[in-house]
Amino acid sequence: MPGHMEKIIRRCADSVEVAKKSEIPDSVWKRCKGVAIINISEVGFVFSLAEGDGVVLKHNEDGTWGAPSCLMFTGAGGGAIFGKAHKQMMLFPMSDYALKQLTANTKFQLGAQIGLAVGPYGRESSLAADAGGKGVGATFSYVFSDGAFLNIGINDNFIDTVSEANEHFYGKAVEATDIVMEAGSVDIPEGKGVEELHAKLGEMTKEEPKE
């Protein structure tokens, strides 16, 4: 039976597949230092509460992707809903410093402790032109549902590392920063969904052949 983190990783792989329908620019995928992928469930009547889980992992210089660390999301929903709603969120840190912020071992607040900018939109959009004055050191945020981009902010929500899930998945206690930032700090288990996640992320960042 799949473990907790394996299920999260496989859901994140599905979210990357859904993101293919979205208009996240190729320049963001290719120039980001990593990505946090979080699946969010909202429930409420008029005002909503949201919770979710996901992973954060590094985009290596050679174009490959690193080991995932487990995350938990809590906060307010993105508006008035009646019943339940499901969304996907992706955060793209554009510097090593911004990526390291997403690996803290304490709960941190989006927007306050991690600076966010709603990411540029449109597959061919220029990253430099659409950085909104934040520069490539920003962490770009995208929230979408069924591949449709939702231009909403996510400030004041919280993300926390799930150390217990990481320990169970890798078979030892290890800091999230080491998992993400230090290559070789953990052995990635085979057949637990990471290969699929890496493959789908690789599809988003591969260079198109030149004519």
Side-chain angles (χ1 to χ4, degrees), residues 42-79:
E42 295 182 11
V43 61
F45 182 76
V46 181
F47 298 105
S48 61
L49 298 176
E51 62 180 13
D53 49 37
V55 296
V56 57
L57 61 167
K58 185 177 183 178
H59 186 201
N60 298 315
E61 293 291 336
D62 63 0
T64 60
W65 294 84
S69 174
C70 191
L71 296 174
M72 178 173 61
F73 173 94
T74 55

Side-chain angles (χ1 to χ4, degrees), residues 130-163:
D130 292 306
K134 302 274 185 181
V136 295
T139 294
F140 290 129
S141 67
Y142 295 86
V143 180
F144 51 92
S145 178
D146 296 325
F149 175 61
L150 305 176
N151 188 19
I152 60 174
I154 54 171
N155 288 342
D156 302 325
N157 293 304
F158 293 88
I159 286 181
D160 195 6
T161 294
V162 188
S163 299

Side-chain angles (χ1 to χ4, degrees), residues 34-185:
V35 64
I37 309 163
I38 301 173
N39 289 284
I40 301 171
S41 295
E42 295 182 11
V43 61
F45 182 76
V46 181
F47 298 105
S48 61
L49 298 176
E51 62 180 13
D53 49 37
V55 296
V56 57
L57 61 167
K58 185 177 183 178
H59 186 201
N60 298 315
E61 293 291 336
D62 63 0
T64 60
W65 294 84
S69 174
C70 191
L71 296 174
M72 178 173 61
F73 173 94
T74 55
I81 66 168
F82 298 87
K84 294 183 179 180
H86 299 280
K87 297 175 182 175
Q88 294 82 35
M89 177 174 72
M90 289 189 175
L91 304 178
F92 291 88
M94 305 307 291
S95 70
D96 288 333
Y97 175 77
L99 174 61
K100 192 172 182 179
Q101 285 184 302
L102 291 171
T103 66
N105 277 326
T106 57
K107 182 181 289 189
F108 50 89
Q109 187 175 12
L110 297 170
Q113 292 161 289
I114 292 184
L116 297 179
V118 175
Y121 183 69
R123 185 68 71 184
E124 302 300 326
S125 180
S126 168
L127 180 60
D130 292 306
K134 302 274 185 181
V136 295
T139 294
F140 290 129
S141 67
Y142 295 86
V143 180
F144 51 92
S145 178
D146 296 325
F149 175 61
L150 305 176
N151 188 19
I152 60 174
I154 54 171
N155 288 342
D156 302 325
N157 293 304
F158 293 88
I159 286 181
D160 195 6
T161 294
V162 188
S163 299
E164 297 83 357
N166 285 337
E167 181 175 354
H168 186 268
F169 190 72
Y170 293 111
K172 63 178 181 179
V174 58
E175 297 289 329
T177 299
D178 292 334
I179 293 172
V180 175
M181 305 299 294
E182 301 295 332
S185 62

Side-chain angles (χ1 to χ4, degrees), residues 3-41:
H4 177 64
M5 188 163 168
E6 179 182 350
K7 292 179 181 178
I8 292 173
I9 291 169
R10 294 190 185 279
R11 285 199 297 268
C12 288
D14 291 340
S15 293
V16 176
E17 187 69 25
V18 173
K20 289 181 179 180
K21 307 176 193 175
S22 71
E23 292 295 318
I24 298 174
D26 291 341
S27 56
V28 171
W29 282 107
K30 292 174 181 177
R31 293 175 60 181
C32 69
K33 295 298 184 178
V35 64
I37 309 163
I38 301 173
N39 289 284
I40 301 171
S41 295

